[in-house]
Amino acid sequence: MLDRRLTVLENKSPPAWYVPFVLTLLSTGFGIAVGSLITARYTHRAEARADRLRREDAAISVASEWIKMFPSLQHVYKCLDSPDLLREAKNLNAVLDYGNWLETTAQRLGHQLIDRDLLKKMGLIDRMSVFVGKYDHAAGILASAQPALDIRLYSGAWTALGEQVSKEKGGEICHHKTV
């Protein structure tokens, strides 16, 4: 019995030439797959972090622009609180310039180019809502005044601003009307 076993072991042929080749390919393929998964995960994390930093930088830039506008914002809100002042072109233009700037900022928010949470903490998101409310109120007063003045025509292009204000109000219907 022992002789038979020894004969079988002695006659056993070496593995076929392709077995080491197949094992090498399998281990290389496994290594490539694991390495690719790890690389993809870290790349995704790095891109997400870089994107977040870009949005934060953009939000700080927008906030800086907004702070530079503070002196003119007092004038804008004074005009909105006294709608008859909007009959003068320079006053109306000041209000429209601010509305256009808010529209541009709202478009950036809509395309997620700016960190919304950071702008919210700074109060700019709330100021959008205040502006739209005051503008709509002033437009209503001027539309029913004698002589009537329809300033809602100017705000027709402020669609992104209306969307952001509506989003901020939790999906409530926004009073801002577009033409």
Side-chain angles (χ1 to χ4, degrees), residues 37-57:
L37 289 174
I38 291 171
T39 301
R41 179 180 170 140
Y42 282 107
T43 301
H44 177 71
R45 278 186 178 176
E47 288 174 352
R49 183 174 184 271
D51 188 47
R52 182 179 49 83
L53 290 174
R54 275 192 298 273
R55 286 193 324 264
E56 285 176 359
D57 287 345

Side-chain angles (χ1 to χ4, degrees), residues 55-117:
R55 286 193 324 264
E56 285 176 359
D57 287 345
I60 291 169
S61 175
V62 166
S64 176
E65 292 172 16
W66 184 50
I67 290 169
K68 289 177 186 173
M69 283 192 259
F70 267 15
S72 63
L73 292 183
Q74 292 174 353
H75 176 70
V76 166
Y77 285 110
K78 178 182 173 188
C79 292
L80 290 173
D81 289 336
S82 303
D84 278 334
L85 293 174
L86 295 175
R87 293 183 184 279
E88 291 181 40
K90 70 175 185 156
N91 295 336
L92 181 58
N93 286 336
V95 169
L96 296 177
D97 285 345
Y98 182 57
N100 291 339
W101 182 83
L102 287 175
E103 171 65 16
T104 302
T105 302
Q107 287 175 357
R108 290 180 187 170
L109 281 167
H111 293 292
Q112 299 176 345
L113 299 174
I114 301 176
D115 187 320
R116 180 181 186 79
D117 293 335

